[in-house]
Amino acid sequence: MQTLKVSSSQGEYNVYIGKGIRFKIDQLLPKSYEKILVITDDTIERLGYLQDICEPLHQSGANIYSYTVPSGEQSKSIQQYEQLLTYAIEKALDRHSLIIAIGGGVVGDLAGFVAATFMRGIDYIQVPTTILAHDSSVGGKVAINHPLGKNLIGSFHAPKGVIYDLETLDSLSLVEKRSGFAEVIKHALIRDEELLELLMNQVDSLENIDYDILHQAIYKGIEIKANIVAEDEREKGIRSYLNYGHTLGHAIETEAGYGKITHGEAIAIGMLFALRLSEKSYQIDLPIARIQQWFIRLQYPLKEIGSLQVDSLVERMKNDKKNKQGKIRMVLLEDVASPQLVTIQEDVLAAELSIFINEVIGNDKGN
Amino acid sequence: MQTLKVSSSQGEYNVYIGKGIRFKIDQLLPKSYEKILVITDDTIERLGYLQDICEPLHQSGANIYSYTVPSGEQSKSIQQYEQLLTYAIEKALDRHSLIIAIGGGVVGDLAGFVAATFMRGIDYIQVPTTILAHDSSVGGKVAINHPLGKNLIGSFHAPKGVIYDLETLDSLSLVEKRSGFAEVIKHALIRDEELLELLMNQVDSLENIDYDILHQAIYKGIEIKANIVAEDEREKGIRSYLNYGHTLGHAIETEAGYGKITHGEAIAIGMLFALRLSEKSYQIDLPIARIQQWFIRLQYPLKEIGSLQVDSLVERMKNDKKNKQGKIRMVLLEDVASPQLVTIQEDVLAAELSIFINEVIGNDKGN
């Protein structure tokens, strides 16, 4: 088991990474709790992880309650949020109780926002079960969706711990691995050229990814994320670099309709577009062709963007949370591992996006 | 105009207190904003304060949007909260926008919680229009109600400023003045014996309260509150002293049904009970009879508690947010201005409450 310390304005917390550590979760809590509410989704419950975690907690003598929400983005709704609060009140949780979130980003974000706002904030611990959640479980961003947009309702509430059992990744589908791996690539692109090289050289398929490489990539990814959020918890500056690829990515996700394309797949396309824009903006050479070929080998569905309208995408990008005074802002790279937050003119963006889409769908090796 | 500085973990902010300062609100903002959402209730709108404040803001060149909720506690609902978020999204507010809350505690708590959670938190400014809000507008506690209990959903989100125009207090009803004045008395009781003496000697009626005394009382009350929250923002320790009188007070409010008795009236009864319990617990002499007679002169409806059941009140007190491991905790006074947070046995509490109720309703001078 490896341990990473993360600093936040609400104190320091540990991220534990290892195999099978869910079975000793009782030993990894920062203190003892009288009441614990474990929140998960029905997929995770079916896989048995809920039971794996409740068992040692029961034996520690705490009162354990569990609540299972349906799997999927639709659970990040105001209605589901209210139902969880009702359950917490009915079970008489108090300010000294703990919430544990077992699952991917949806469960983490939802349970985290419940913890952030129940009685003005109680402790919570993240137990990520996806590669994607190596990103979302660290840094204290929690949120639910509004019918008009994703993650528009939320807050910053640092967890008291993250317990990352790598064994739980075995049950991921290929699509889920692909989605999560995009955020690992993002961490490498914005901060660690060496990691990027390692990944490009060693990972040619996500189906048979080497276990040690995955472990290393996740550890590095969390370390990069932790360093950035320790420096800028509330996204006044450099935290926005973590949004690399997300401006177009979010627009693709929303425009295609949630579920049509995964978060990471959309981000992969967004990162590629940001690379092209970076090359033009800074008049530099970036290894775009090499990265694009790699993305194709990893089966990121780049050509999906061909079915979307440039105007609609730009319109969506105008609702991005990074924007200021109605101007679109994107993260570009002055070089690999050197990100900058840049204001982009709407007409330039539309023109470049149009060129990019033609290039991507014109490439017969895309899939 | 007087200015008080308040420290919070999210930075320092100013509390401005003066007459007619709502007309120059544009000069009291901490910085300029492109978009401002002003939230108020229909009573305040009818009194013209919404217009008074929007006028100078308009002239400053900002885009001003306003939203009026129905007056009263029922507006602190999840539904109203969601409607406000929808409005903010529709008006394309972003992370750099400002929310201004004009009104009493209901508007302040509701608008504050919207600001705390819209896009993970944006700036907000409180413009209190009641005496009661001298308390709630400072300290960053924001919340909405759950059908199962008051203020159960919320967070800590410090305002960027508090603009307290004393002229707005002229439009308060006698009942509202009485409610708000109870929190001023509370601040004196837990922290400032001199202020308590001044108030007891100078304020014999809330109908004709001397304007300078009221100004002084509010200034001192805010100062006391600000000092306590600067020391303990998240209520790990001494901030709980501000809950003096509230354990029984909240139970009375809920048990009587909201609207039957005001917050401050219920707190007045709660403070008197806590004084009696303090005297017995610490074997000391407190000026209880004098304070009780003063409360009767100020027309606090002490005898209302006679219509409530001891068992039901104790049951309500068991849901208090200060409680730990199911044990009831109350703030008692070792002396005037020397509070302590104390665990009370349920049977002792029930017995003492029974005696207290008999004493209060047996007093023919009560009303």
Side-chain angles (χ1 to χ4, degrees), chain B residues 7-41:
Chain B
S7 302
S8 87
S9 64
Q10 293 155 21
E12 216 172 48
Y13 58 92
N14 288 330
V15 180
Y16 301 103
I17 308 170
K19 286 185 85 166
I21 58 176
R22 68 188 182 282
F23 295 107
K24 56 169 188 172
I25 187 166
D26 53 317
Q27 298 159 44
L28 301 176
L29 302 185
K31 63 174 189 179
S32 72
Y33 293 89
E34 215 213 344
K35 287 192 177 189
I36 302 175
L37 168 58
V38 186
I39 299 174
T40 193
D41 67 28

Side-chain angles (χ1 to χ4, degrees), chain A residues 34 78 81-82 86 89 95-96 117 119-120 141-142 146 152-155 235 321 323-325, chain B residues 34 78 81-82 86 89 94-96 117 119-120 141-142 146 152-155 235 321 324-325:
Chain A
E34 215 212 344
I78 296 183
Y81 165 66
E82 186 178 0
T86 304
I89 297 165
R95 286 181 182 170
H96 312 280
T117 55
M119 293 192 178
R120 296 199 184 87
K141 274 194 179 178
V142 294
H146 185 280
L152 290 180
I153 311 171
S155 59
E235 199 162 335
K321 287 199 285 290
N323 295 348
K324 195 170 177 179
Q325 302 185 339
Chain B
E34 215 213 344
I78 295 182
Y81 165 66
E82 187 177 0
T86 304
I89 297 165
D94 65 23
R95 286 183 182 168
H96 311 280
T117 55
M119 294 193 177
R120 297 201 183 86
K141 274 193 180 180
V142 294
H146 185 281
L152 289 182
I153 311 170
S155 59
E235 200 163 336
K321 286 200 285 290
K324 195 171 178 179
Q325 303 185 338

Side-chain angles (χ1 to χ4, degrees), chain B residues 139-150:
Chain B
K141 274 193 180 180
V142 294
I144 56 175
N145 299 331
H146 185 281
L148 296 176
K150 236 183 125 172

Side-chain angles (χ1 to χ4, degrees), chain B residues 69 97 100 146 218 231 259:
Chain B
V69 302
S97 303
I100 297 180
H146 185 281
I218 284 174
E231 207 174 312

Side-chain angles (χ1 to χ4, degrees), chain A residues 58-274:
Chain A
H58 267 301
Q59 286 179 359
S60 77
N63 293 303
I64 312 298
Y65 307 97
S66 73
Y67 194 104
T68 303
V69 303
S71 300
E73 192 72 26
Q74 78 280 3
S75 280
K76 277 176 65 176
S77 67
I78 296 183
Q79 292 70 31
Q80 186 63 73
Y81 165 66
E82 186 178 0
Q83 282 168 30
L84 280 165
L85 288 166
T86 304
Y87 186 78
I89 297 165
E90 284 171 352
K91 296 301 174 193
L93 261 72
D94 64 24
R95 286 181 182 170
H96 312 280
S97 303
L98 172 71
I99 286 178
I100 296 180
I102 316 178
V106 167
V107 169
D109 280 4
L110 170 66
F113 190 54
V114 171
T117 55
F118 177 68
M119 293 192 178
R120 296 199 184 87
I122 64 171
D123 288 357
Y124 81 114
I125 281 180
Q126 300 262 25
V127 182
T129 59
T130 64
I131 300 179
L132 198 58
H134 92 278
D135 183 47
S136 59
S137 64
V138 175
K141 274 194 179 178
V142 294
I144 56 175
N145 299 332
H146 185 280
L148 296 176
K150 235 183 125 172
N151 293 333
L152 290 180
I153 311 171
S155 59
F156 292 92
H157 188 58
K160 291 288 170 189
V162 178
I163 297 167
Y164 205 147
D165 187 344
L166 296 166
E167 269 182 14
T168 63
L169 303 180
D170 294 343
S171 45
L172 291 177
S173 69
L174 181 58
V175 164
E176 287 170 311
K177 282 185 188 165
R178 188 180 297 126
S179 181
F181 198 70
E183 295 283 5
V184 178
I185 297 172
K186 178 198 75 182
H187 286 132
L189 267 169
I190 62 168
R191 195 85 160 199
D192 191 337
E193 193 166 1
E194 203 178 314
L195 177 62
L196 182 69
E197 283 300 325
L198 174 86
L199 297 177
M200 285 207 281
N201 293 329
Q202 304 280 331
V203 183
D204 237 20
S205 151
L206 290 169
E207 236 164 334
N208 309 307
I209 185 166
D210 180 87
Y211 191 87
D212 287 338
I213 296 280
L214 183 62
H215 187 152
Q216 205 178 329
I218 285 175
Y219 182 87
K220 285 268 185 193
I222 293 179
E223 195 175 42
I224 289 167
K225 170 91 182 243
N227 285 336
I228 289 178
V229 300
E231 206 176 311
D232 175 28
E233 190 174 25
R234 287 188 169 255
E235 199 162 335
K236 304 289 184 197
I238 66 159
R239 185 167 181 161
S240 67
Y241 298 160
L242 293 169
N243 235 265
Y244 180 71
H246 284 61
T247 319
L248 177 59
H250 277 157
I252 294 172
E253 259 187 295
T254 323
E255 196 54 24
Y258 292 117
K260 294 274 194 297
I261 186 166
T262 65
H263 177 69
E265 287 170 338
I267 298 319
I269 303 173
M271 291 194 290
L272 204 57
F273 175 57

